[in-house]
Amino acid sequence: MSLKVSKAIEILKNHDLLVSDSVSDENLEVTNISYNSREDQANGIFFCKGNQFKAEYLDQAIKNGAKIYVAEKEYSTDIDHLIVKDASKALALLSAEFYGNPQNDLFIVAFTGTKGKTTTSYFTYDILNSAYPKKVALFSTVDRIVGPKPSDEFKSDLTTPESMELFHDMRRAVDNGMKYLVMEVSSQAYKKNRVYGLKFDIGGFLNITPDHIGPNEHPTYADYLNCKKQLMINSKVNIINRQTNDYDTVLAAAKETSADKDIYRFAKDEVGDTDFSIRNKESNLNDSVFTYTAESDKAEDLQDHGEYTYELGLVGDFNELNAGAAITAAKIMGIDNEVIADSLKKAFVPGRMEHINTKNHGTIFVDYAHNYASMNALLSFIKREYPESKVKVVVGSPGDKGVSRRAGFARVLTELADSAILTTDDPGFEDPAKICKEIDDQIDHEKVEVKTVIDRQEAIREMIDSSNDGDIIVLAGKGNDPYQKTKGVDVPYPSDPVVAKKILKDIEG
């Protein structure tokens, strides 16, 4: 991999990002790219980015071999440099070029939404992987899959990785023979310019509700919506949940760059002005059965028959909308219906609606639900399926971000839970006890019994130990996460399913 300085200058000029340059040799071809000063910078280009950037980081990068740096202001005259209007945008554009523009060799399907991104991405990945075995990559909140071997699958640390890592992993995927990529695109990906300049073949907008509003994320809901809708503007073909909040704004964004023929809407139940409709036929704790019906001429052009029935292997009728988005993407890509149906029947998403049966401590569900919208959908479904059961929830809220989630958890626990234990969930640099108190202070204690147990494993143990046959326990927020993010460190954590099973073995044998 390499990047010629003259090409970098050309790209920055073309995107109106270059302010000035001080370059002794435009023919220099760098063979390293980095924004981490502690890494090897031999013959490299170094990016000075981020609000916390300090001049000493550049000094360290120069000592480690950097030949040129990119920054929004001049830090040093010791080496060549390019001064730009936005370092994060420059990083995205030049990373793509450095890695040989791997995005041009991939058909990319991307999804955004407050809830459902991961589930929809897995549904779509499973369908595509069945149609095109060993040719599909996945970038999700849970896993990154960049090739067909076990060594090509690893845990994600961000929903959408930083642009340099994003294009690095795309290059790895292409070199491994991947032809398709399914990825989640978070609002932060646009806020932080991680996908700047990237165009998607298909973009799906699932939903939006207030979330990620806080000092370290989005200052307002309007900013959150503006970032979310960018996926529509940057996608060739658009898929939109007709029932999303701010539908008109999302549709208008799609129409900025796509013709009506390239915009497909889907909805659940009887909704006018949509292309596909989803109607539940049956849902229980094993599967969901639903119909998927073409409602417009262009939808019928994608579907040989007007209506198909699907069986979804992942429990919860709320997952039918996620499946609808995946089905629509697959049909746009011309995948046979038999492949779609068979894939959905076997669908499994790590950390999503995993259920553990116990001998005499009720039924345990482990789910990644981490905001009001997803928790409301989950608990509402359980209430419908188990109207006589007590619903007991173990949940926490992350530190340093998503501050608005805390009020959301308080609200949904008040509305739908019988009891709750508040605990730790990726506290970051905040005090987990303080986070729990912020949730607890907003709960109506006349409607739900609440206590706080800071140690997550102890919280789960106490909830299981105090539950009886017929109770439903929900372990929410972490899913299969194998660590707790604490003060900048990923502290190993067994994951909620592992913890629950070990506790059950201890107390039930």
Side-chain angles (χ1 to χ4, degrees):
M1 302 295 104
S2 64
L3 173 65
K4 203 168 187 177
V5 171
S6 59
K7 183 65 176 178
I9 292 172
E10 178 190 334
I11 291 169
L12 294 173
K13 282 181 177 177
N14 288 343
H15 285 82
D16 192 29
L17 286 174
L18 188 66
V19 175
S20 65
D21 65 87
S22 177
V23 175
S24 56
D25 180 10
E26 285 197 3
N27 290 318
L28 172 68
E29 196 157 339
V30 295
T31 53
N32 219 330
I33 186 169
S34 178
Y35 57 86
N36 183 345
S37 61
R38 291 170 293 186
E39 295 176 346
D40 176 26
Q41 311 287 332
N43 192 41
I45 182 169
F46 179 74
F47 290 80
C48 308
K49 62 175 282 291
N51 295 330
Q52 308 299 318
F53 187 81
K54 298 176 183 177
E56 49 261 41
Y57 298 158
L58 176 59
D59 294 338
Q60 185 177 9
I62 294 172
K63 287 176 183 175
N64 287 339
K67 295 294 185 185
I68 184 170
Y69 71 88
V70 178
E72 292 172 16
K73 67 178 184 179
E74 187 174 80
Y75 286 101
S76 171
T77 56
D78 291 345
I79 63 170
D80 290 356
H81 49 274
L82 305 174
I83 305 304
V84 296
K85 295 176 182 177
D86 191 309
S88 60
K89 289 180 179 179
L91 177 64
L93 294 170
L94 299 187
S95 292
E97 184 68 25
F98 180 85
Y99 288 110
N101 293 297
Q103 72 276 15
N104 296 337
D105 296 318
L106 293 164
F107 187 100
I108 307 177
V109 183
F111 295 101
T112 197
T114 302
K115 63 173 181 173
K117 293 188 298 295
T118 300
T119 300
T120 305
S121 294
Y122 266 89
F123 287 166
T124 306
Y125 171 79
D126 286 344
I127 293 169
L128 296 188
N129 202 41
S130 293
Y132 312 111
K134 299 183 178 181
K135 297 294 181 185
V136 189
L138 173 69
F139 296 173
S140 84
T141 300
V142 180
D143 291 318
R144 202 100 36 92
I145 300 172
V146 297
K149 300 174 184 175
S151 59
D152 296 321
E153 182 172 342
F154 46 94
K155 292 293 177 186
S156 297
D157 53 357
L158 289 170
T159 298
T160 310
E162 181 58 80
S163 57
M164 193 184 81
E165 284 78 17
L166 180 68
F167 288 107
H168 169 276
D169 288 351
M170 283 188 188
R171 167 48 55 196
R172 186 173 166 188
V174 169
D175 290 348
N176 282 331
M178 303 293 100
K179 300 293 183 185
Y180 305 89
L181 168 63
V182 180
M183 64 180 288
E184 298 179 43
V185 177
S186 65
S187 58
Q188 286 292 299
Y190 278 106
K191 184 74 175 170
K192 303 291 188 183
N193 294 310
R194 294 174 190 154
V195 290
Y196 181 76
L198 192 56
K199 302 298 180 186
F200 303 95
D201 293 283
I202 299 175
F205 194 102
L206 303 176
N207 48 68
I208 184 167
T209 57
D211 192 33
H212 298 286
I213 314 300
N216 296 317
E217 295 184 284
H218 297 280
T220 63
Y221 174 75
D223 183 72
Y224 180 50
L225 173 60
N226 182 60
C227 289
K228 283 284 187 198
K229 75 178 187 182
Q230 297 306 312
L231 179 63
M232 299 291 90
I233 296 169
N234 290 286
S235 295
K236 297 173 187 174
V237 179
N238 296 272
I239 300 170
I240 303 173
N241 173 5
R242 180 66 181 81
Q243 292 157 305
T244 182
N245 292 333
D246 297 286
Y247 167 74
D248 290 342
T249 300
V250 176
L251 180 62
K255 286 184 173 181
E256 285 186 35
T257 52
S258 297
D260 285 345
K261 68 180 180 62
D262 292 324
I263 301 172
Y264 293 88
R265 288 84 48 81
F266 66 101
K268 195 165 181 184
D269 301 323
E270 303 295 332
V271 176
D273 187 31
T274 193
D275 299 297
F276 291 102
S277 61
I278 299 160
R279 295 177 181 85
N280 176 262
K281 291 180 72 175
E282 175 190 336
S283 63
N284 54 47
L285 293 171
N286 295 309
D287 55 33
S288 292
V289 179
F290 62 94
T291 58
Y292 176 87
T293 308
E295 303 286 4
S296 68
D297 291 342
K298 66 181 176 185
E300 288 182 358
D301 288 343
L302 288 183
Q303 188 151 280
D304 295 336
H305 306 287
E307 180 175 289
Y308 282 106
T309 298
Y310 296 98
E311 181 182 336
L312 185 61
L314 196 66
V315 301
D317 54 2
F318 52 90
N319 280 312
E320 291 169 6
L321 272 171
N322 298 327
I327 293 167
T328 306
K331 288 188 176 295
I332 291 168
M333 296 174 70
I335 295 175
D336 289 343
N337 196 65
E338 292 73 16
V339 173
I340 298 173
D342 188 55
S343 298
L344 291 178
K345 195 181 296 184
K346 297 182 292 188
F348 171 76
V349 183
R352 293 299 193 274
M353 287 301 282
E354 293 186 41
H355 76 275
I356 302 167
N357 293 318
T358 75
K359 293 177 182 176
N360 47 31
H361 290 82
T363 302
I364 301 170
F365 284 94
V366 179
D367 194 88
Y368 189 64
H370 60 287
N371 54 37
Y372 175 82
S374 54
M375 184 83 88
N376 181 62
L378 170 61
L379 298 188
S380 295
F381 169 73
I382 289 172
K383 280 284 192 184
R384 287 195 302 273
E385 293 300 317
Y386 292 95
E388 304 301 319
S389 294
K390 287 187 176 181
V391 177
K392 302 181 169 186
V393 182
V394 177
V395 68
S397 191
D400 309 328
K401 66 177 186 176
V403 175
S404 59
R405 292 179 189 173
R406 299 169 196 181
F409 284 138
R411 179 181 163 199
V412 76
L413 292 173
T414 296
E415 292 170 348
L416 295 169
D418 293 290
S419 66
I421 295 180
L422 304 178
T423 190
T424 300
D425 183 347
D426 293 339
F429 289 91
E430 289 193 62
D431 177 358
K434 176 178 168 288
I435 296 172
C436 290
K437 187 174 186 306
E438 286 182 23
I439 301 171
D440 193 33
D441 285 348
Q442 300 177 74
I443 294 175
D444 184 341
H445 291 84
E446 291 187 5
K447 294 183 178 179
V448 55
E449 179 186 329
V450 186
K451 69 183 302 184
T452 295
V453 178
I454 298 301
D455 185 288
R456 192 174 181 96
Q457 295 193 53
E458 284 304 312
I460 293 172
R461 177 178 293 277
E462 186 162 332
M463 185 60 90
I464 293 174
D465 209 29
S466 63
S467 297
N468 304 308
D469 234 11
D471 290 346
I472 306 297
I473 300 171
V474 176
L475 310 180
K478 288 200 72 65
N480 275 348
D481 281 358
Y483 48 76
Q484 289 274 21
K485 292 181 178 291
T486 306
K487 295 182 178 177
V489 177
D490 288 347
V491 179
Y493 171 74
S495 84
D496 283 356
V498 170
V499 169
K501 288 171 185 174
K502 182 180 185 305
I503 290 167
L504 286 169
K505 188 175 181 182
D506 290 344
I507 64 178
E508 291 189 342

